């Protein structure tokens, strides 16, 4: 297929591009900067300059493609007080792609998230659908992003082979600058590797290489209207994460009270305390996806999260 990808030079995209090319697909990546364009060219992809706000560009690129994978999301503004604005931009892009692909039966795959889908119990691919109760506790940006995923699934009724791949809060690996890297930076700065309360709350996890392979499998064969979970580990206790970080940094691991969490973890506090175990059993059965990358604790133990830049 000729595949158009937004976010192609990002954390997931930069693993997905070689995954697709290695499987014989042709990749066109959206690039908003010279650095992104250069990275895509080096990876063997073609470049379409623009941003996800350039709706005409998105429409034309989708029309010229055999399939679309939408990974881009304005995380920079989402995690600095503008989550609703980021979700609104995401929805405009999704609607644009849906209109361009309507009636074509071509694949359209977007990235979403599992965190907070069904707090306190094991979430499945059936949770968070338009007819279900899961996600009813969400508001603001997270609620809008869930609605965006539901709108994508609904494009199946318009002749699009649409699917949603929900990513775990940590898609880990060497080079990750997300939640795990942030926790390491906070522990290094504070001199203590913290967790909220007793730290028994769980996060699902997946290695970046496994997530990329799932996106390829979904592009190639996910049925229209599918919701998929890129989940390798159903739930890793946050206390276990904190203990590994503390051991590698040589600092104690310790509980932070819920009242003090915002001061200690800043913007991460609202996410870190969530208990969000998640299953990917249906996805594995549907697509024959078998994660092979290291687990989160093993990956942390490899040490790459703790390397400091050379002076």
């Amino acid at each position: 297929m000729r595949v158009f990808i937004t976010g192609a030079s990002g954390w997931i995209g930069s693993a997905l591009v070689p995954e697709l090319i290695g499987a014989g697909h042709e990749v066109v990546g959206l690039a908003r900067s010279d650095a992104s364009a250069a990275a895509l060219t080096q990876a063997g992809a073609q470049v379409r300059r623009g941003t996800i706000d350039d709706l005409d560009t998105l429409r034309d690129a989708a029309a010229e493609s055999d399939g679309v994978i939408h990974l881009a999301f304005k995380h920079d503004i989402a995690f600095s007080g503008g989550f609703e604005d980021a979700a609104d931009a995401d929805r405009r892009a999704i609607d644009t792609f849906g209109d361009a692909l309507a009636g074509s039966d071509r694949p359209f795959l977007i990235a979403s998230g599992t965190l907070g889908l069904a707090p306190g119990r094991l979430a499945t691919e059936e949770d968070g659908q338009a007819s279900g109760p899961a996600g009813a506790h969400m508001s603001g940006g997270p609620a809008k992003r869930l609605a965006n995923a539901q709108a994508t699934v609904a494009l199946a009724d318009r002749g699009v082979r649409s699917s949603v791949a929900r990513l775990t809060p940590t898609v880990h690996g060497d080079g990750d600058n997300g939640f795990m890297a942030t926790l390491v930076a906070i522990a290094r700065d504070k001199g203590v590797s913290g967790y909220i309360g007793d730290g028994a709350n769980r996060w699902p996890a997946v290695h970046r290489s496994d997530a990329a392979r799932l996106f390829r499998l979904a592009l190639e064969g996910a049925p229209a209207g599918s919701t998929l979970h890129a989940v390798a580990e159903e739930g890793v206790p946050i206390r276990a994460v904190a203990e590994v970080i503390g051991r590698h940094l040589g600092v104690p691991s310790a509980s932070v009270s819920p009242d003090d969490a915002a001061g200690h973890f800043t913007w991460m506090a609202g996410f870190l305390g969530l208990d969000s175990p998640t299953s990917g059993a249906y996805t594995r059965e549907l697509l024959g996806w078998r994660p092979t990358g290291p687990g989160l604790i093993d990956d942390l133990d490899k040490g790459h999260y703790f390397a400091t830049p050379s002076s």
Side-chain angles (χ1 to χ4, degrees), residues 196-265:
I196 299 175
D198 63 5
N201 62 296
R202 299 151 291 175
W203 273 16
V206 67
H207 192 267
R208 174 176 174 242
S209 61
D210 290 321
R213 189 166 66 257
L214 175 59
F215 274 92
R216 175 180 63 79
L217 293 172
L219 174 82
E220 294 172 344
S226 299
T227 296
L228 311 166
H229 279 181
V231 174
E233 295 178 281
E234 291 185 348
V236 181
I238 295 299
R239 180 170 181 168
V241 171
E243 289 171 346
V244 174
I245 292 173
R247 174 160 47 82
H248 277 269
L249 292 180
V251 301
S253 58
S255 172
V256 176
S257 74
D259 290 342
D260 295 332
H264 187 93
F265 297 106

Side-chain angles (χ1 to χ4, degrees), residues 70 110-115 145-146 148-149 164-168 215:
H70 176 44
I110 76 161
S112 188
T114 67
L115 190 61
R145 197 171 192 197
L146 180 61
N148 292 352
V164 173
R166 292 174 177 157
L167 293 164
T168 57
F215 274 92

Side-chain angles (χ1 to χ4, degrees), residues 2 5 7 55 65 70 85 102 116 131 146 153 161 163 178 184 186 200 206 216 220 237-238 256 266 287 290-292:
R2 177 181 171 89
I5 307 178
L55 301 184
S65 301
H70 176 44
D85 291 336
S131 59
L146 180 61
V153 168
R161 185 159 67 80
S163 56
V184 170
I186 292 171
V206 67
R216 175 180 63 79
E220 294 172 344
I238 295 299
V256 176
T266 65
L287 297 179
R290 298 292 181 268
T292 59

Side-chain angles (χ1 to χ4, degrees), residues 78-166:
F79 295 137
S80 59
F83 206 136
E84 290 195 50
D85 291 336
D88 287 340
D90 189 46
R91 182 55 175 268
R92 289 190 292 270
I94 289 168
D95 289 345
T96 298
F97 286 132
D99 290 343
L101 297 172
S104 70
D105 292 321
R106 284 177 282 172
F108 173 44
L109 173 63
I110 76 161
S112 188
T114 67
L115 190 61
L117 187 64
R121 67 169 177 81
L122 188 69
T124 73
E125 291 86 347
E126 294 183 359
D127 286 307
Q129 305 299 339
S131 59
H137 60 284
M138 294 182 183
S139 61
K144 285 189 173 184
R145 197 171 192 197
L146 180 61
N148 292 352
Q150 294 168 349
T152 300
V153 168
L155 289 172
D157 295 333
R158 298 180 59 196
V160 180
R161 185 159 67 80
S162 61
S163 56
V164 173
R166 292 174 177 157

Side-chain angles (χ1 to χ4, degrees), residues 13-38:
S14 57
L16 177 58
V17 168
E19 174 76 24
L20 291 173
I21 292 174
H25 301 293
E26 178 184 352
V27 174
V28 180
L30 184 70
R32 63 178 179 174
S33 68
D34 291 342
S36 292

